[in-house]
Amino acid sequence: MHYLHIMNVHHLELFYYVAKYEGITAAVRKMPYGIQQPAVSGQILQLEEELGVKLFNRRPFALTPAGEMLYDFAYPFFAGLPDVEERLRGEDGKHLRITASASVLGNHLPYVLEKLKLKIPELKLTLKEVEPSELHTQLTTQQADIALTVLHGKLDEGLRSCELMTIPLVLLVPSTCKINTLEQLIRPSDVGDHLESKLPLVGLPENEALSQIFQSGLREKNIQWQASMEVNALDIIQRYVSRGFGAGIGVGIPGVKPIEGVDVIPLDGFDPLVVGAIYQGSMKPIAKEFLQTAQEYVAGIASNK
């Protein structure tokens, strides 16, 4: 079976510089990266051997007809690389790709991006809502520059994080209950020495960080209270609470008030929810600018409390 030999692109690049600057010595001085003259000579000889033709005469330098043909082929590609690189860097430098949960995308992010657009008028955005389990893939496959999520537990290998906002957990109760503290909802259990709630619990799925933090706080208080109604968004929890289906897990997002029919009870002693950015490797400049803008925004919210 005959296999087609593919030309070594690095050898072709070296030939391009040699042909452009009319000699190996001049090419070595002009190349954008360091390489020794003997290495260039050896790899050019290898290219000629693989092609079975002589590409140029050494002294005086002159391209052979085969060399002229190859240079005419290589010149448009290698000569155009600097312009392509500049265009790509310029385009990518204004393009920010963010992946996040629905609650993060919907609350404070629009205001942060509005401020970022004032700094970078040519800002191009790609926003995508994903499940927490998809964040790692979004970052490692370069589909996102930054993932905005709850920082809880150990990060996957190769990922780094930056804390942006700490949000306290709260309990949402129907306004008709006239309850001001968690303790007013709690009573001794009839089937054990633990405590339980007088109301059903509406919460997120148990694999969600908010649910895990809430349950951890309950265990410290010897309270057993599992969600009997699981929904996939905080705003849906509020809707069920407002209609009297039970109490709900929530977060005290600055500047965001509960809907009508819902009262908010602080959960003192419970760990807060930490929202932050996750990224891989070194952030590109526009991602760093975004994080700085987000931190400035959060500091402004904190100072206005």
Side-chain angles (χ1 to χ4, degrees), residues 150-187:
V150 175
L151 302 180
H152 180 67
K154 186 178 180 181
L155 289 176
D156 291 333
E157 185 176 354
L159 298 183
R160 302 177 182 179
S161 66
C162 174
E163 181 179 323
L164 292 175
M165 180 182 289
T166 299
I167 308 174
L169 267 62
V170 297
L171 191 64
L172 307 173
V173 297
S175 300
T176 54
C177 289
K178 306 301 180 182
I179 293 173
N180 300 314
T181 66
L182 173 63
E183 287 69 27
Q184 291 177 300
L185 268 180
I186 302 305
R187 65 186 178 192

Side-chain angles (χ1 to χ4, degrees), residues 149-259:
T149 186
V150 175
L151 302 180
H152 180 67
K154 186 178 180 181
L155 289 176
D156 291 333
E157 185 176 354
L159 298 183
R160 302 177 182 179
S161 66
C162 174
E163 181 179 323
L164 292 175
M165 180 182 289
T166 299
I167 308 174
L169 267 62
V170 297
L171 191 64
L172 307 173
V173 297
S175 300
T176 54
C177 289
K178 306 301 180 182
I179 293 173
N180 300 314
T181 66
L182 173 63
E183 287 69 27
Q184 291 177 300
L185 268 180
I186 302 305
R187 65 186 178 192
S189 173
D190 296 331
V191 294
D193 59 358
H194 61 272
L195 303 174
E196 63 182 16
S197 171
K198 301 173 185 177
L199 293 177
L201 180 64
V202 185
L204 299 175
E206 61 181 16
N207 64 329
E208 291 281 350
L210 177 60
S211 296
Q212 294 174 5
I213 296 171
F214 179 71
Q215 289 297 327
S216 177
L218 290 178
R219 284 193 296 271
E220 291 184 5
K221 298 178 181 294
N222 194 32
I223 301 172
Q224 291 187 14
W225 192 14
Q226 297 294 327
S228 57
M229 299 179 64
E230 285 190 358
V231 297
N232 59 8
L234 293 175
D235 59 334
I236 299 178
I237 292 177
Q238 290 201 52
R239 292 177 203 165
Y240 278 104
V241 172
S242 69
R243 287 166 173 77
F245 284 95
I249 307 171
V251 288
I253 300 175
V256 178
K257 296 181 179 180
I259 64 174

Side-chain angles (χ1 to χ4, degrees), residues 1 19 22 32 38 48 52 54 65 91 97 104 129 153 162 185-186 200 203 232 274 286 301:
M1 182 182 292
E22 299 184 346
E48 290 179 321
K54 188 174 183 179
E91 178 68 19
R97 300 165 301 172
V104 174
E129 177 188 344
C162 174
L185 268 180
I186 302 305
N232 59 8
V274 180
I286 193 170
I301 293 176

Side-chain angles (χ1 to χ4, degrees), residues 79-93:
L81 280 179
D83 289 339
V84 171
E85 180 180 3
E86 184 176 347
R87 291 199 300 272
L88 287 174
R89 288 184 182 275
E91 178 68 19
D92 195 53

Side-chain angles (χ1 to χ4, degrees), residues 7-151:
M7 191 184 309
N8 186 303
V9 177
H10 178 58
H11 293 172
L12 181 60
E13 180 189 26
L14 295 178
F15 167 75
Y16 162 76
Y17 281 107
V18 170
K20 179 178 180 180
Y21 296 110
E22 299 184 346
I24 293 175
T25 302
V28 169
R29 291 197 298 264
K30 299 285 189 177
M31 280 182 190
Y33 52 87
I35 187 170
Q36 299 297 316
Q37 184 170 330
V40 176
S41 298
Q43 292 181 61
I44 292 295
L45 284 173
Q46 187 177 343
L47 176 62
E48 290 179 321
E49 290 174 2
E50 291 174 347
L51 293 175
V53 295
K54 188 174 183 179
L55 295 174
F56 56 86
N57 297 309
R58 270 61 175 174
R59 292 189 179 85
F61 178 87
L63 290 174
T64 64
E68 292 279 4
M69 180 185 299
L70 187 59
Y71 183 64
D72 288 344
F73 168 79
Y75 178 83
F77 175 77
F78 289 107
L81 280 179
D83 289 339
V84 171
E85 180 180 3
E86 184 176 347
R87 291 199 300 272
L88 287 174
R89 288 184 182 275
E91 178 68 19
D92 195 53
K94 301 180 182 68
H95 187 189
L96 180 63
R97 300 165 301 172
I98 298 175
T99 183
S101 65
S103 58
V104 174
L105 286 176
N107 286 313
H108 291 285
L109 185 58
Y111 303 102
V112 175
L113 293 176
E114 184 179 25
K115 291 179 178 296
L116 182 63
K117 192 168 179 62
L118 292 176
K119 297 180 180 179
I120 307 174
E122 305 88 359
L123 177 66
K124 178 182 177 182
L125 286 171
T126 298
L127 303 179
K128 186 175 183 180
E129 177 188 344
V130 301
E131 296 295 327
S133 59
E134 300 178 44
L135 292 177
H136 181 272
T137 301
Q138 289 285 312
L139 293 169
T140 56
T141 57
Q142 304 297 309
Q143 296 181 60
D145 302 307
I146 289 179
L148 299 178
T149 186
V150 175
L151 302 180

